[in-house]
């Protein structure tokens, strides 16, 4: 089979590890979210792409779900000693190497899709990983705090503020000009099935769907989604804060309604959400908690 999966960070990466185990002979293409990308210390950081690459390549810190295993933070400590900001986003020493290579290649004129392919040549993730676009896009969040109403980068809202300040709007800057990266639309056109893993429906899957032509291409395919909401709460992270920002309830039903029947043909929910339904969509209930690779594969 030819399978395409859209993916964000931790939840998407762990689901993909199970998918790869469940269908080892299939050809899997992963379209990764780049709305979370941020420039730090002059380096281009792609958190979601790296989380997928490290997880599938065996280099992820399993406990926290992001960053490299056996990591050290000497460079971070030295930067802090110089008073360099931001200090709320910590990169490990091993992780720095990935961002240095990426930034050097981007500066030399290579597009992000080519850079991602080169980085994956080391990690051998067992899937083809493509960024949603080679164009620069960044997710920003409009908030109001003691400094007034302002827009901050998604990473500042997510990491520094821990989504504690309500989001008034979530905006993908650059979405109108961005085009799908080479290979994205072709992979969708050739896919037997497309899977939406339990990634954040607003700032991961929802971001990818904003790139011109992707949602339209998916609507002609068989698309199966896995609910990121179990029993009225996100399994991990703060997806509820993102859903609230766009006026959507934190339920498996509401997320299905958000995606809609023109996009989704099948919807997998947790057993406690078995009552979810939408005309034109086949819904099935299964255990969704990915305790390990075997559970994710099931």
């Amino acid at each position: 089979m030819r399978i395409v999966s859209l993916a964000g960070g931790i939840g998407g990466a762990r689901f993909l590890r199970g998918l790869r185990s469940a269908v080892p002979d299939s050809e899997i293409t992963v379209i990764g979210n780049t709305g979370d990308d941020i420039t730090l210390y002059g380096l281009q950081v792609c958190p979601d792409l790296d989380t997928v690459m490290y997880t599938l390549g065996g280099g992820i810190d399993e406990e926290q779900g992001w960053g490299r295993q056996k990591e050290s933070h000497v460079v971070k400590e030295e930067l802090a000693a110089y008073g360099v900001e931001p200090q709320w986003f910590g990169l490990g020493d091993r992780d720095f190497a990935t961002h240095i290579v990426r930034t050097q290649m981007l500066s030399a004129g290579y597009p992000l899709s080519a850079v991602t392919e080169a980085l994956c040549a080391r990690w051998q993730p067992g899937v083809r990983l493509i960024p949603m676009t080679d164009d620069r896009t960044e997710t920003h969040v409009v908030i109001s705090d003691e400094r007034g109403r302002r827009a901050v980068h998604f990473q500042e809202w997510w990491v520094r503020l821990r989504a504690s300040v309500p989001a008034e709007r979530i905006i993908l800057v650059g979405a109108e000009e961005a085009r799908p990266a080479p290979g994205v639309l072709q992979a969708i056109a050739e896919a037997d099935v497309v899977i939406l893993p339990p990634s954040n429906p607003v700032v991961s899957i929802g971001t990818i769907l904003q790139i011109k032509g992707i949602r339209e291409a998916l609507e002609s395919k068989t698309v199966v989604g896995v609910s990121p909401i179990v029993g009225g709460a996100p399994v991990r992270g703060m997806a509820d804060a993102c859903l609230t920002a766009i006026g959507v309830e934190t339920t498996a039903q509401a997320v299905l309604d958000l995606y809609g029947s023109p996009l989704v043909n099948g919807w997998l929910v947790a057993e406690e959400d078995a009552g979810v339904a939408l005309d034109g969509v086949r819904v099935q209930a299964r255990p969704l908690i990915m305790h390990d690779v075997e559970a994710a594969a099931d």
Side-chain angles (χ1 to χ4, degrees), residues 3-254:
I3 301 172
V4 167
S5 179
L6 279 55
I10 300 172
R14 289 180 172 173
F15 175 83
L16 289 166
R17 189 162 55 182
L19 176 64
R20 187 184 60 182
S21 175
V23 287
D25 296 327
S26 292
E27 180 183 306
I28 302 173
T29 299
V30 179
I31 301 170
N33 169 45
T34 59
D36 292 7
D37 291 7
I38 187 171
T39 302
L40 295 169
Y41 320 116
L43 302 176
Q44 185 66 16
V45 180
C46 301
D48 283 0
L49 294 180
D50 290 346
T51 295
V52 171
M53 183 176 71
Y54 291 155
T55 300
L56 299 183
I60 200 73
D61 184 316
E62 291 289 350
E63 184 174 341
Q64 61 185 13
W66 51 270
R68 293 283 303 281
Q69 62 183 351
K70 300 179 180 178
E71 189 60 282
S72 56
H73 295 86
V74 176
V75 175
K76 175 186 175 183
E77 293 164 2
E78 288 296 308
L79 288 169
Y82 280 115
V84 175
E85 298 290 345
Q87 296 182 17
W88 46 264
F89 197 105
L91 299 175
D93 298 328
R94 294 174 184 269
D95 201 24
F96 261 109
T98 297
H99 310 315
I100 290 170
V101 173
R102 176 185 292 116
T103 305
Q104 286 182 330
M105 292 188 69
L106 290 171
S107 298
Y110 291 95
L112 181 60
S113 53
V115 175
T116 302
E117 183 178 2
L119 293 172
C120 285
R122 172 192 174 185
W123 290 100
Q124 294 295 307
V127 303
R128 182 187 182 196
L129 178 61
I130 313 176
M132 63 186 193
T133 180
D134 280 336
D135 299 314
R136 182 175 178 178
T137 58
E138 289 187 358
T139 301
H140 288 199
V141 180
V142 177
I143 62 172
S144 294
D145 57 12
E146 66 278 359
R147 294 171 55 182
R149 191 170 187 265
R150 60 195 180 99
V152 299
H153 193 285
F154 169 76
Q155 295 293 355
E156 181 173 356
W157 181 68
W158 194 255
V159 178
R160 186 178 77 83
L161 299 175
R162 300 294 298 171
S164 60
V165 179
E168 298 177 16
R169 289 186 65 194
I170 297 177
I171 306 163
L172 182 62
V173 178
E176 292 184 2
E177 297 79 21
R179 296 295 182 269
V184 167
L185 295 182
Q186 180 181 355
I188 294 173
E190 296 175 351
D192 296 303
V193 65
V194 177
I195 299 177
L196 308 182
S199 295
N200 191 305
V202 181
V203 295
S204 293
I205 304 299
T207 299
I208 299 171
L209 294 175
Q210 289 186 58
I211 302 303
K212 192 167 295 184
I214 291 183
R215 186 183 185 105
E216 292 78 7
L218 292 174
E219 288 181 353
S220 66
K221 308 301 293 188
T222 297
V223 179
V224 177
V226 182
S227 175
I229 306 300
V230 173
V235 176
R236 186 187 179 102
M238 299 164 285
D240 50 342
C242 298
L243 289 167
T244 299
I246 64 170
V248 174
E249 293 182 350
T250 305
T251 65
Q253 178 69 62

